[in-house]
Amino acid sequence: MKDPRQIDVPRLSLAQLPTPLQPLNRLHDKIGGPKIWVKRDDLTGCTLSGNKIRKLEFSLAQAQAEGCEVVITCGGLQSNHCRATALLCAQLGLKCHLLLRGETAEADGNYLLDQLAGATISCYPSVRYQQELTALLQQWQEHYHNTGRKAFVIPTGASDAIGVWGYFHASKELADDCEGANIRPRHVVCATGSGGTQAGLTAGCHYYLPETRVWGVNVCDDEAWFMHKVNQDIADWQQRYQLQSPAGEGYSVNVIDGYVGPGYAVAEECIFRTIAELAATEGLVLDPVYTGKAFYALLQELRAGRFGDSGDIVFMHTGGIFGVFPQRRGFHNLNL
Ligand SMILES: *Cc1c(COP(=O)(O)O)cnc(C)c1O
């Protein structure tokens, strides 16, 4: 059994790292309480912006190590993960095939970038996608094998045993940032959608920021689903790489439920308002699918006292900017 801090796995250098850690001073002057710091993973790249590239550094390295020429992955029509994968595949000279959930729509946001990146795109209506995703991924993989091309399947959000490394290593980066800023945050909050970011942070912070509790705000499904998914990703990671379990009670997985709103990628006015207010106060842009809901949750939970009344909190800005534009209508009644 190995210490995860000491083993080397295949990795490509693709993201702009380290990303900055910045305090929200103007927001703090306005609302008081604990100071919120933002880890700017929206700055991992311009069109590559967001959290997925950290995981894809490992997934795509594995694809290349296995001699694959094709990468197949999946997500919603406006998936940030699919957009990052499509652009990185173009950069690396790999063929990218995206299986997207939803009817073909106007080319906008991430979906437009997928097309610019030259990805092959297959769209499936939601019900069929949900019922048949595993089979569809397998069918397309076989299709490529039959034409003599080895295809690598990356699951939703690159949240699997391989992807956990992305935020395991980001936790070390964050620990260095905190040391540089001379803070010892008690909480780290991130949006959670397929669980891999939270899984990596949970495992990584256990070693690198042991006094810090990691919270995922779920943007779909519920607490029970994510408790299971995050623990499963960590267990798969430990098994695949023969990693030791931490001493004591093991990893502590924490979910903040109650902020999904009407559904995945559907946001109420309070979310659009939070996005507009933070943009105007700090020049920081969140998105209505992930970070807007997670930041809104952070503010609500702060008021409710979940994080205490002082100290430092880190909000992980996981990106999502291209998801703002297809939802421009949500800002219409705000009188900006
Ligand atoms: C995918 C995504 C998340 C959620 O990360 P997971 O690892 O899938 O849980 C959060 N924010 C943004 C902007 C994302 O694209």
Side-chain angles (χ1 to χ4, degrees):
M1 291 298 166
K2 295 170 238 169
D3 182 328
R5 288 168 292 187
Q6 268 145 29
I7 77 164
D8 268 325
V9 295
R11 177 179 187 174
L12 296 167
S13 175
L14 300 170
Q16 299 295 318
L17 302 178
T19 59
L21 177 70
Q22 299 170 340
L24 297 183
N25 291 326
R26 294 171 60 80
L27 181 71
H28 183 74
D29 290 345
K30 244 179 162 174
I31 65 172
K35 182 166 281 186
I36 303 171
W37 296 68
V38 177
K39 177 65 171 164
R40 295 291 306 275
D41 273 12
D42 56 323
L43 298 179
T44 50
C46 175
T47 50
L48 295 169
S49 167
N51 59 344
K52 300 308 177 317
I53 188 171
R54 286 196 190 258
K55 308 189 237 181
L56 290 167
E57 286 195 339
F58 295 90
S59 316
L60 293 172
Q62 186 65 34
Q64 286 189 330
E66 293 181 18
C68 295
E69 298 165 48
V70 183
V71 169
I72 305 171
T73 194
C74 56
L77 202 65
Q78 283 297 338
S79 165
N80 296 305
H81 161 68
C82 288
R83 175 258 309 158
T85 305
L87 290 163
L88 288 171
C89 283
Q91 185 179 323
L92 297 170
L94 297 165
K95 179 184 167 57
C96 179
H97 192 147
L98 302 175
L99 312 191
L100 300 182
R101 182 187 64 242
E103 309 290 345
T104 347
E106 200 189 337
D108 196 354
N110 287 303
Y111 184 53
L112 171 60
L113 291 168
D114 297 343
Q115 294 173 24
L116 291 179
T120 298
I121 300 174
S122 305
C123 290
Y124 298 94
S126 295
V127 175
R128 173 151 189 233
Y129 180 96
Q130 258 144 37
Q131 287 170 351
E132 299 177 27
L133 181 61
T134 311
L136 288 167
L137 288 166
Q138 210 178 328
Q139 274 167 30
W140 280 113
Q141 190 176 35
E142 279 163 21
H143 164 85
Y144 286 107
H145 280 215
N146 294 340
T147 59
R149 285 184 288 180
K150 206 169 168 196
F152 189 83
V153 173
I154 300 176
T156 308
S159 291
D160 64 358
I162 302 168
V164 169
W165 288 117
Y167 276 85
F168 184 83
H169 289 291
S171 305
K172 169 74 167 73
E173 187 183 307
L174 178 60
D176 292 343
D177 298 335
C178 290
E179 203 184 311
N182 202 15
I183 59 167
R184 299 170 83 178
R186 283 199 247 143
H187 305 279
V188 175
V189 177
C190 69
T192 196
S194 59
T197 300
Q198 190 183 347
L201 281 175
T202 300
C205 287
H206 178 90
Y207 289 101
Y208 296 118
L209 284 168
E211 294 167 17
T212 306
R213 198 160 166 189
V214 176
W215 299 87
V217 178
N218 59 297
V219 301
C220 55
D221 299 288
D222 60 14
E223 179 174 358
W225 196 90
F226 279 101
M227 288 302 288
H228 177 259
K229 177 62 165 66
V230 173
N231 278 300
Q232 191 63 52
D233 283 354
I234 293 174
D236 291 348
W237 169 72
Q238 289 182 294
Q239 201 194 357
R240 178 180 175 118
Y241 299 97
Q242 298 291 295
L243 303 174
Q244 68 195 22
S245 286
E249 310 212 332
Y251 296 116
S252 148
V253 178
N254 306 285
V255 177
I256 297 175
D257 197 357
Y259 296 93
V260 177
Y264 173 72
V266 187
E268 289 171 306
E269 192 174 302
C270 56
I271 304 301
F272 289 101
R273 195 171 295 286
T274 301
I275 295 171
E277 280 173 6
L278 194 69
T281 310
E282 292 279 1
L284 197 70
V285 181
L286 305 173
D287 77 289
V289 184
Y290 296 97
T291 54
K293 286 182 180 176
F295 197 83
Y296 177 77
L298 169 54
L299 294 179
Q300 293 296 112
E301 296 292 322
L302 264 179
R303 283 189 197 111
R306 193 195 288 251
F307 303 119
D309 50 19
S310 62
D312 295 289
I313 298 178
V314 173
F315 178 75
M316 186 58 74
H317 191 331
T318 43
I321 183 78
F322 302 111
V324 170
F325 304 101
Q327 299 215 25
R328 49 177 67 77
R329 269 177 207 88
F331 299 100
H332 279 183
N333 10 344
L334 296 187
N335 297 316
L336 302 178

